[in-house]
Amino acid sequence: MKRTMFSLLQPSMLVLITVFWSSAPASWIDNPFTVTAVSITTLLIVQLLELFINRHASWRMYRLEFLTDLFYAVLYFAVISGVEDSLAEAPLASAKQALGITSNWALHSPFLVQVALVVFVVEFGQYWMHRLMHNSPVWWTHAPHHHITQLNAAKGLVGNPLELFLVSLSVIALFDLRKDATFCALNILGVVSTFAHANVRNTAPRWYSYIFTTIEAHSLHHSVPYNDTRCNYANSPILIDRLFGTFREGESTVVGQDNRKRLSILEQFMFPLRPLIAMIKARRGTAASAAG
Ligand SMILES: [Zn+2]
Ligand SMILES: [Zn+2]
């Protein structure tokens, strides 16, 4: 009984978020901080759960991990989301207006249809960006996220800032949508992703793990052998991986790249420059041996 109730935790949180946004007063919907407040609250709830019901002892939180996660949570909510708004969302919204693009069909759809539309559009873009990162030199921006050596609630926010920016890009600003439906979808995506990185010992119902990404599927994506990371790309709806043939069943307890070398924040920030630094060193070496 207790186990069944606990397995319903993830779906229950999605229902709660949906109820919250579908009944939120206009003043809350118009306040841009409400969506951030819901994100932070749900993140704190999952972090609290991690303290009491660990999935793996080796993923237990310790001081350095906590401070790193805190740094990235602040970076994301205080900087990256603002930069995303200024450099991507606002120009897209202006282009939409200038070109006269309208989608009244979307605006007049039922609330839940609008939520599902945002989830699909945002995640479709994220899926392909993430897949590109694992199959091209853009990997250098994403690799720091795969150097994490344990999974925890806020780890979805840990990575090189350029990657965090790239993976958050979407074309949702081109659609006419209710603000509450958009915020509801963003909070749903956040909660699914938080649980998919969390060290919480619970197993979601089968129907949930068929549609949404769970810790089982995402931990497999964080596998140690690089080639084994090329699966389960979807941040939140794993259904997209099922559709495009990249879904793999299983779970990984040991995570990390390069023999599980943990990176410092500075190393995470500098990581995409590694190929350039290696090229400069190689050229200097060739020049020195030619001169010698
Ligand atoms: Zn990845
Ligand atoms: Zn991840």
Side-chain angles (χ1 to χ4, degrees):
M1 178 74 179
K2 200 174 154 190
R3 202 172 153 174
T4 309
M5 277 181 67
F6 198 50
S7 77
L8 291 173
L9 190 66
Q10 284 142 279
S12 307
M13 278 181 82
L14 300 195
V15 171
L16 268 178
I17 286 170
T18 308
V19 171
F20 172 83
W21 280 111
S22 61
S23 56
S27 58
W28 292 11
I29 296 167
D30 290 335
N31 187 336
F33 294 107
T34 309
V35 68
T36 306
V38 175
S39 296
I40 292 172
T41 306
T42 50
L43 177 60
L44 289 174
I45 291 171
V46 184
Q47 280 181 320
L48 262 179
L49 287 170
E50 281 190 321
L51 288 180
F52 299 106
I53 32 172
N54 285 165
R55 189 173 195 85
H56 304 299
S58 57
W59 293 0
R60 263 185 210 143
M61 187 57 84
Y62 63 98
R63 208 174 120 96
L64 182 61
E65 283 297 326
F66 177 75
L67 291 176
T68 305
D69 290 4
L70 182 65
F71 170 82
Y72 278 102
V74 172
L75 179 76
Y76 181 78
F77 290 115
V79 183
I80 307 253
S81 58
V83 172
E84 192 81 34
D85 278 347
S86 313
L87 297 186
E89 301 288 315
L92 258 188
S94 303
K96 173 185 180 297
Q97 205 166 14
L99 296 169
I101 300 170
T102 55
S103 51
N104 281 327
W105 58 269
L107 187 61
H108 296 110
S109 306
F111 178 80
L112 286 178
V113 172
Q114 294 191 43
V115 173
L117 179 73
V118 177
V119 166
F120 181 76
V121 170
V122 170
E123 283 292 320
F124 188 77
Q126 281 210 351
Y127 171 86
W128 285 106
M129 178 61 81
H130 191 185
R131 194 166 162 177
L132 176 78
M133 285 172 168
H134 278 261
N135 294 279
S136 75
V138 193
W139 165 253
W140 291 97
T141 67
H142 183 50
H145 179 64
H146 279 270
H147 273 77
I148 53 178
T149 52
Q150 64 181 77
L151 295 179
N152 300 107
K155 287 293 192 293
L157 306 173
V158 176
N160 182 271
L162 184 57
E163 179 238 352
L164 299 173
F165 173 80
L166 289 174
V167 90
S168 304
L169 290 173
S170 89
V171 294
I172 204 66
L174 293 176
F175 289 83
D176 292 302
L177 293 157
R178 281 170 55 171
K179 262 202 258 183
D180 50 1
T182 305
F183 292 153
C184 179
L186 296 179
N187 281 149
I188 284 175
L189 296 178
V191 168
V192 176
S193 174
T194 300
F195 270 109
H197 283 93
N199 183 21
V200 178
R201 194 180 62 244
N202 79 326
T203 305
R206 279 176 76 88
W207 65 266
Y208 179 96
S209 54
Y210 191 83
I211 302 169
F212 296 106
T213 306
T214 58
I215 183 67
E216 288 91 338
H218 197 67
S219 63
L220 203 60
H221 178 75
H222 276 270
S223 293
V224 177
Y226 172 66
N227 279 333
D228 289 354
T229 66
R230 288 169 157 165
C231 67
N232 302 350
Y233 296 111
N235 181 49
S236 299
I238 200 76
L239 200 57
I240 299 184
D241 279 283
R242 293 183 192 278
L243 284 174
F244 291 108
T246 46
F247 174 74
R248 264 187 58 208
E249 191 94 47
E251 180 172 4
S252 184
T253 310
V254 183
V255 297
Q257 288 292 296
D258 290 346
N259 294 319
R260 306 190 64 240
K261 187 188 177 310
R262 187 187 185 284
L263 301 180
S264 67
I265 291 174
L266 181 64
E267 286 171 326
Q268 286 166 336
F269 272 53
M270 300 300 286
F271 203 92
L273 296 176
R274 284 191 180 193
L276 187 68
I277 293 167
M279 200 173 76
I280 292 168
K281 276 185 182 167
R283 279 195 182 171
R284 275 189 189 160
T286 312
S289 55

